[in-house]
Amino acid sequence: MKRTILIHPDPRLKKLCAPVSDLTDELRELADDMLETMYKAPGIGLAAPQVGVLSRLIVLDCEKEEGANPEPLVMFNPQVVSTSEEQNTYEEGCLSIPEQFADVTRPAEVEVAWIDRDGKAQQQGFDGLWATCVQHEIDHLDGKLFIDYLRPLKRQMITRRMQKLKRELARV
Ligand code: K1U
Ligand code: ZN
């Protein structure tokens, strides 16, 4: 089932999310719904607070090649274990901040540990867009948005645009 994506500003997007202790069928269904929501948006990642659930769960698939097989990843309790010294700047977007993009600099490579959909512990290194995306999604679990990396004036400008968009959406 496709879920509704919250639009910034929303207090739920600023909260610290709780670790998942028990991998229930309800949480697996939430992960499946999040993948469906992400693919339909379309997007390359999604975090549980973006659909109003304050649990540490993210999904991502950064395989963008035309005709390539999907490579969905479901991560419960993802944790960055190590980061590279090298940094990478990428123009980021966010499904909770539609049609706004800005350059964000982050470590170019990250090692991430997580629990998968079957409850198995996993650890893997990511680079390129995958590294950017997994850091962006883990930030969501800590109540942090990509606009929090921008200068206050730019952040305010984007927030005002989103307030206007939400007023317009509420009218229809
Ligand atoms: O967290 C989110 O809101 C998803 C976000 C992830 C992200 C994008 C860019 C850099 C870092 C993290 C998105 O998916 S925005 C949409 C997007 O980037 C995209 C959509 C369709 C095709 C390719 C990219
Ligand atoms: Zn986002």
Side-chain angles (χ1 to χ4, degrees):
M1 180 187 74
K2 184 171 168 262
R3 305 224 181 181
T4 304
I5 298 175
L6 300 179
I7 305 293
H8 165 75
D10 186 297
R12 288 165 288 183
L13 294 172
K14 300 305 295 171
K15 295 270 196 286
L16 180 69
C17 294
V20 169
S21 53
D22 210 13
L23 231 181
T24 59
D25 284 347
E26 193 188 337
L27 280 167
R28 283 196 187 90
E29 193 177 326
L30 170 64
D32 294 341
D33 286 355
M34 284 170 57
L35 279 170
E36 183 182 339
T37 307
M38 177 193 82
Y39 285 125
K40 282 188 174 154
I44 54 172
L46 195 67
Q50 292 181 277
V51 294
V53 180
L54 302 183
S55 297
R56 299 189 80 81
L57 163 62
I58 63 172
V59 299
L60 59 159
D61 186 350
C62 300
E63 184 52 68
K64 287 201 304 185
E65 290 296 312
E66 273 275 316
N69 286 331
E71 283 189 36
L73 278 179
V74 171
M75 299 183 175
F76 293 96
N77 300 338
Q79 273 187 309
V80 175
V81 173
S82 65
T83 58
S84 61
E85 296 252 320
E86 192 198 337
Q87 305 273 302
N88 191 17
T89 300
Y90 196 89
E91 190 179 50
E92 297 193 16
C94 181
L95 297 173
S96 295
I97 311 177
E99 288 169 33
Q100 307 299 314
F101 303 91
D103 280 352
V104 177
T105 300
R106 301 178 187 270
E109 292 174 29
V110 285
E111 183 84 18
V112 179
W114 72 94
I115 304 296
D116 71 14
R117 203 184 174 283
D118 302 318
K120 249 181 81 186
Q122 302 281 356
Q123 188 162 322
Q124 194 184 314
F126 295 92
D127 61 11
L129 182 56
W130 286 89
T132 295
C133 188
V134 75
Q135 291 175 83
H136 174 118
E137 300 311 330
I138 292 173
D139 271 355
H140 272 300
L141 305 182
D142 296 325
K144 192 162 183 171
L145 302 172
F146 82 90
I147 55 170
D148 294 326
Y149 291 93
L150 310 181
R151 291 191 313 273
L153 218 59
K154 174 113 198 221
R155 186 164 62 240
Q156 260 170 35
M157 191 184 73
I158 292 177
T159 297
R160 290 204 181 111
R161 279 186 197 147
M162 290 302 101
Q163 285 167 329
K164 184 163 174 272
L165 173 70
K166 286 179 79 168
R167 280 198 301 274
E168 285 164 4
L169 290 174
R171 255 189 256 129
V172 288

